[in-house]
Amino acid sequence: NNFCNEVGATRSAKVVQMAKLFHVARLTLADTTRRAMAALEPIKVVITNFDEEAGKFGENGMTFEVQNSPTDATLGSHNVTLTGTIYIDSEDFKTEDDPNFYRLTPNKPVGVKYHGGNLICDEIVKDGDKIKMLKCRLDSSEGRPKPKSYITWVPSDGIKCEVRVYGHLFTQSEPSDRWEEELNSESEVIHSNAIIDPSVLELVDKKDVNEWKSNQ
C-alpha cells in the first residue's frame, strides 16, 4: 500500500525505478524488523589484550544490551557479548590506508559498535594472498582518538549460515526485446560462509527448519 501511495495511479503507462521500491521496503522493514549483526564475508580477529580490557567492565564483562530496533524500544532487546575472538566483515577492512575509507586499516583505529572503544590492527596474518586473521587490540582509554566510524562484529559463538543478497534482475532500467542479454549475473549473491549474531536463535526453532521452510 505504501508503495502504491508513493508512485500514485495514472491511466498512462510509466516505468517506476526499482530504487523507489527498495526505499519503501527499507522504510517498512525499519519499523517492523529486528536487527542482528552479521559478517557476510568474515575475517577472524584475535583481540590480544582482551583479558585486560574485559577486567575494566566489571560484573557484566563485555556483554551489552542492544535494542532489537534502534528506533522502536517496544520491540524489546537482546544481549551481545564481545569475545576474545570476533569476526568482522571483509568490507570493513583494508590492508592499506585510504583517506576515503573510514573503517579498519593497520594502525588506524576504528570504533567497536556497542563497546564504544577503539579497535587497532597491529598484525595481518596471511595464508598466501588470503587473510587468515587479524591481531588487534582494544583501546578504551580516556584520551583515545575519536573514530570516524564504528564497525559491526560477531562473537566467537556466532552462527554459520548462508545469506543471499538480491539486487536488480536486469542491468537496464527498462529491459528491451533482448532482455535475456540484459539479465544481471549478480542479481543474487550467495554468501555461503556468513556468520550471524547468535541472538537470532531466539527466533528460530530447529524443528521448523527444513528445505521448504527456512524460518518463522
Side-chain angles (χ1 to χ4, degrees), residues 65-86:
E65 185 178 359
V66 178
Q67 282 189 194
N68 290 333
S69 166
T71 57
D72 187 356
T74 64
L75 291 181
S77 64
H78 64 276
N79 290 333
V80 293
T81 300
L82 188 68
T83 51
T85 297
I86 60 174

Side-chain angles (χ1 to χ4, degrees), residues 89-109:
D89 195 87
S90 60
E91 290 289 319
D92 289 331
F93 178 74
K94 276 190 174 181
T95 56
E96 295 182 6
D97 192 14
D98 180 338
N100 298 313
F101 185 74
Y102 299 126
R103 285 159 283 178
L104 186 63
T105 59
N107 299 311
K108 180 179 176 181

Side-chain angles (χ1 to χ4, degrees), residues 4-68:
C4 294
N5 290 335
E6 284 278 339
V7 300
T10 66
R11 290 178 179 270
S12 57
K14 65 176 181 177
V15 175
V16 179
Q17 296 296 319
M18 282 297 295
K20 174 69 74 173
L21 177 60
F22 290 169
H23 174 69
V24 173
R26 286 192 186 97
L27 291 178
T28 301
L29 292 172
D31 294 332
T32 59
T33 306
R34 172 174 173 161
R35 310 300 202 277
M37 294 190 290
L40 301 185
E41 296 293 335
I43 296 177
K44 183 179 180 180
V45 175
V46 175
I47 301 174
T48 56
N49 65 335
F50 179 80
D51 290 340
E52 177 188 341
E53 286 294 314
K56 299 177 182 179
F57 279 77
E59 264 184 34
N60 294 327
M62 296 285 205
T63 297
F64 311 101
E65 185 178 359
V66 178
Q67 282 189 194
N68 290 333

